[in-house]
Amino acid sequence: VLGRVLTLSNQRLLPVLGLGAVVAVAWVYLVYIAAGIEGMSLAAAKPWTPAEAAMMLVMWAVMMAGMMLPGAAPMILLFATIERRQRAAGEPASSTAIFGLGYVIAWTGFSLGATALQWALHEAALLTPMMASSSKTFAGLLFVAAGLYQWSALKHACLRHCRSPLHFIVQHWRQGRLGALRMGLIHGLYCIGCCWVLMGLLFAGGVMNLVWIAAIALFVLAEKVWGEAVARASGVAMLGVGAYLLVV
């Protein structure tokens, strides 16, 4: 009996440890990049090379993994529980790792768009060497856009899907590894729909400002815990910050 209990505990612990390890590696990488960002050539006022653009894409993809995977933990751990029960029943099991891969692929697609936007902002000289907005007007518009989106129907529809793992499983369950990949992609798209404008605020506070990155990541997690009330209240606050930056 003790052996079964220990085996079950290990089975539950492995997904937590795996998820934690991925998030930890992502944050270590971000700290490493942030420490050397001022000496990077891409911070200079010159056009990016393809190599620099590729490096920025990697940075964005790792940053999104570090920021978004903690908020996706309830969904991933529920998927791991279902996989464990499938295996115990001798049924063809889905793969939690492949589900997570689908989620990361979705955010990597978002990272491609974010990299292209940053490239355009860099060419327009709208970013500082720390990749923050060099224009109060632009920063103000980012906050206004984020504040308005916090009240949008699309935001709240996506947030409801992100906050209810069981509801998502019931609606979108597909068998097998390909099904797991598809589900991970769909869940990632809902999370992008919920948070994509918030990620634009990285350009207001600094794409490589670790405190700002952590603050946004914690806010995203708070939204998923406390829901629409947090989203609406924060929307008002963001509109206030945006108005201040535009007026002052």
Side-chain angles (χ1 to χ4, degrees), residues 56-67:
M56 291 306 303
L57 174 58
V58 171
M59 186 203 73
W60 272 98
V62 173
M63 181 164 58
M64 291 301 100
M67 292 177 72

Side-chain angles (χ1 to χ4, degrees), residues 94-168:
S94 300
S95 170
T96 304
I98 292 178
F99 176 89
L101 176 62
Y103 186 82
V104 170
I105 288 173
W107 275 103
T108 301
F110 170 84
S111 299
L112 184 60
T115 302
L117 176 59
Q118 185 175 338
W119 197 341
L121 295 173
H122 176 83
E123 293 294 316
L126 286 174
L127 296 180
T128 69
M130 285 302 291
M131 305 178 202
S133 171
S134 60
S135 163
K136 276 190 176 182
T137 299
F138 179 57
L141 290 173
L142 287 173
F143 273 101
V144 168
L148 291 174
Y149 192 70
Q150 291 294 93
W151 282 79
S152 71
L154 177 59
K155 162 77 180 190
H156 291 280
C158 291
L159 181 58
R160 283 192 291 272
H161 277 86
C162 289
R163 294 190 67 230
S164 180
L166 186 58
H167 182 258
F168 177 85

Side-chain angles (χ1 to χ4, degrees), residues 72-83:
M75 180 69 248
I76 294 172
L77 295 179
L78 175 60
F79 200 93
T81 298
I82 294 171
E83 179 187 0

Side-chain angles (χ1 to χ4, degrees), residues 16-244:
V16 175
L17 291 177
L19 185 61
V22 172
V23 173
V25 169
W27 277 96
V28 168
Y29 176 81
L30 291 176
V31 171
Y32 170 76
I33 290 294
I37 196 68
E38 291 183 359
M40 292 169 64
S41 61
L42 57 87
K46 69 179 188 63
W48 285 4
T49 66
E52 287 168 341
M55 181 171 61
M56 291 306 303
L57 174 58
V58 171
M59 186 203 73
W60 272 98
V62 173
M63 181 164 58
M64 291 301 100
M67 292 177 72
M68 298 307 300
L69 281 173
M75 180 69 248
I76 294 172
L77 295 179
L78 175 60
F79 200 93
T81 298
I82 294 171
E83 179 187 0
R84 185 170 62 250
R85 290 176 179 174
Q86 286 177 326
R87 293 186 187 281
E91 300 173 359
S94 300
S95 170
T96 304
I98 292 178
F99 176 89
L101 176 62
Y103 186 82
V104 170
I105 288 173
W107 275 103
T108 301
F110 170 84
S111 299
L112 184 60
T115 302
L117 176 59
Q118 185 175 338
W119 197 341
L121 295 173
H122 176 83
E123 293 294 316
L126 286 174
L127 296 180
T128 69
M130 285 302 291
M131 305 178 202
S133 171
S134 60
S135 163
K136 276 190 176 182
T137 299
F138 179 57
L141 290 173
L142 287 173
F143 273 101
V144 168
L148 291 174
Y149 192 70
Q150 291 294 93
W151 282 79
S152 71
L154 177 59
K155 162 77 180 190
H156 291 280
C158 291
L159 181 58
R160 283 192 291 272
H161 277 86
C162 289
R163 294 190 67 230
S164 180
L166 186 58
H167 182 258
F168 177 85
I169 289 289
V170 170
Q171 277 202 325
H172 298 285
W173 180 261
R174 295 292 185 277
Q175 293 287 356
R177 296 177 183 274
L178 188 59
L181 181 66
R182 180 181 182 274
M183 291 173 67
L185 283 167
I186 293 172
H187 190 62
L189 290 174
Y190 277 125
C191 287
I192 291 169
C194 180
C195 301
W196 70 277
V197 184
L198 284 175
M199 294 304 154
L201 294 181
L202 288 167
F203 292 113
V207 174
M208 274 288 95
N209 182 333
L210 293 178
V211 174
W212 190 237
I213 294 171
I216 293 177
L218 288 172
F219 174 75
V220 168
L221 185 59
E223 272 195 335
K224 292 189 177 183
V225 173
W226 289 296
E228 296 185 11
V230 172
R232 295 185 190 279
S234 66
V236 174
M238 290 172 194
L239 286 170
V241 172
Y244 174 81

